[in-house]
Amino acid sequence: MGKDKELFYEVIEDGESAEDRTPMAVYPDALVPERDRAAELKKAVDAAERVRYRVRTDAHAQSMLAVLLFTCACIAACGVLIHISKNSAGVIAASVLVAAAVVAAVIVMSVITVKTKRAYYCYYARTERGVFCMNVGDGEATLLAYGTAYRITRDAFFTLDGKGYSEWLDGNGVGFVSMLGAIGRTEYDENAGLYIVDAGRVRHEVAIDDGVITEIVSIQQVQTDEVDIKTGDAKTKKNVFVKTEPTAVFAWEVPPFVKQAFEDNGVEFPDLTGL
């Protein structure tokens, strides 16, 4: 004969339903599995095989603030001149300077506002050939084509490898390349509801809604032309890029100046077939 089976049973009082019973065992101290935030972010990135984001930077806001501060300083200085002027000619001259400063500030702010309203985009696609990224700004662009990055500015055209792109340029782009390279350093801000990725020279703050990455704020270190006397290295500054409005349905809009830069430097433009 086989092994004897044991019978477990519970006595239910007359009129008592199963729903009304007190559970036989309650475990108040049961552990809740900790969520794997890095896995959640990686899953969202992997799901975005083809996406375009609209990009805005904080440079325009900083410019507006600089213009405003400069205008206030001019008005304050002219106010002092008016106060200490002993004749009407001095008052008139100071008033003219104030008016000129205000007009100049209005013109500059108008130009900045127009630039702010322009639509700039960054693109990402992953195929069997590898990853293709592109971001276009005000007269500047960066492309990552299957391991090689191309940087175009108003007066330069140069290339970097994938590592250089990830460290110095992916904050301008969508950011997935540097995110995946640092996915193990993902944290989660409970208050803001954001996934935080420390990718070395760039930090990403990522918002995910129902498995879709809806917004990416990238704080990118950028090299400047200034040299640090102590280290001999180029100084860096931080630029902020806010990427919103994700869409998978878009056309690859390559500005003429980008293709012209490749042609002028004798470099074949990367193949966009299948993207």
Side-chain angles (χ1 to χ4, degrees):
M1 295 180 63
K3 185 179 179 180
D4 292 340
K5 296 182 179 179
E6 296 180 355
L7 179 63
F8 294 89
Y9 63 91
E10 179 184 4
V11 178
I12 302 176
E13 300 293 338
D14 289 342
E16 181 185 20
S17 68
E19 290 75 12
D20 295 332
R21 285 179 292 144
T22 302
M24 294 180 64
V26 179
Y27 303 94
D29 298 326
L31 296 177
V32 177
E34 186 176 351
R35 292 173 62 178
D36 189 339
R37 300 296 186 177
E40 292 176 357
L41 178 59
K42 186 177 185 303
K43 182 178 180 181
V45 172
D46 289 342
E49 295 184 359
R50 186 177 191 272
V51 66
R52 182 189 72 180
Y53 288 88
R54 183 166 183 166
V55 185
R56 71 175 188 272
T57 71
D58 64 346
H60 296 303
Q62 292 174 353
S63 299
M64 292 282 273
L65 179 60
V67 172
L68 181 60
L69 291 175
F70 176 77
T71 305
C72 291
C74 290
I75 293 174
C78 291
V80 172
L81 289 176
I82 292 174
H83 180 72
I84 63 177
S85 292
K86 301 299 183 181
N87 53 62
S88 59
V91 173
I92 293 173
S95 300
V96 170
L97 289 175
V98 170
V102 171
V103 170
V106 170
I107 294 173
V108 173
M109 287 184 176
S110 299
V111 172
I112 294 173
T113 301
V114 170
K115 287 186 176 182
T116 302
K117 291 182 178 180
R118 291 179 184 172
Y120 297 118
Y121 297 100
C122 60
Y123 306 76
Y124 172 89
R126 187 179 72 252
T127 68
E128 294 179 352
R129 291 180 293 165
V131 170
F132 187 95
C133 305
M134 182 176 75
N135 64 274
V136 180
D138 187 11
E140 299 181 346
T142 304
L143 287 79
L144 174 67
Y146 322 116
T148 301
Y150 304 88
R151 176 64 175 159
I152 302 165
T153 67
R154 289 180 175 83
D155 54 2
F157 178 95
F158 58 90
T159 63
L160 297 87
D161 59 14
K163 184 174 184 292
Y165 172 84
S166 177
E167 289 186 354
W168 294 105
L169 298 172
D170 201 30
N172 310 39
V174 171
F176 289 169
V177 175
S178 53
M179 277 185 212
L180 291 175
I183 201 72
R185 297 195 294 274
T186 300
E187 298 180 356
Y188 188 74
D189 186 331
E190 294 285 353
N191 295 325
L194 299 174
Y195 297 76
I196 312 297
V197 185
D198 177 11
R201 299 188 187 279
V202 58
R203 167 190 167 97
H204 302 288
E205 301 175 355
V206 185
I208 299 178
D209 183 14
D210 195 21
V212 177
I213 297 177
T214 56
E215 180 176 281
I216 305 167
V217 178
S218 301
I219 300 93
Q220 175 75 65
Q221 290 188 35
V222 180
Q223 285 184 325
T224 68
D225 295 332
E226 296 183 57
V227 177
D228 189 327
I229 299 176
K230 294 182 180 179
T231 64
D233 298 328
K235 290 184 178 181
T236 62
K237 64 178 182 178
K238 292 183 179 179
N239 285 345
V240 179
F241 301 91
V242 182
K243 289 152 279 191
T244 58
E245 302 177 27
T247 178
V249 181
F250 61 87
W252 290 86
E253 301 175 6
V254 183
F257 80 87
V258 173
K259 290 190 174 181
Q260 188 63 49
F262 276 83
E263 184 178 334
D264 292 344
N265 288 275
V267 179
E268 183 179 358
F269 190 80
D271 183 13
L272 299 181
T273 304
L275 300 181

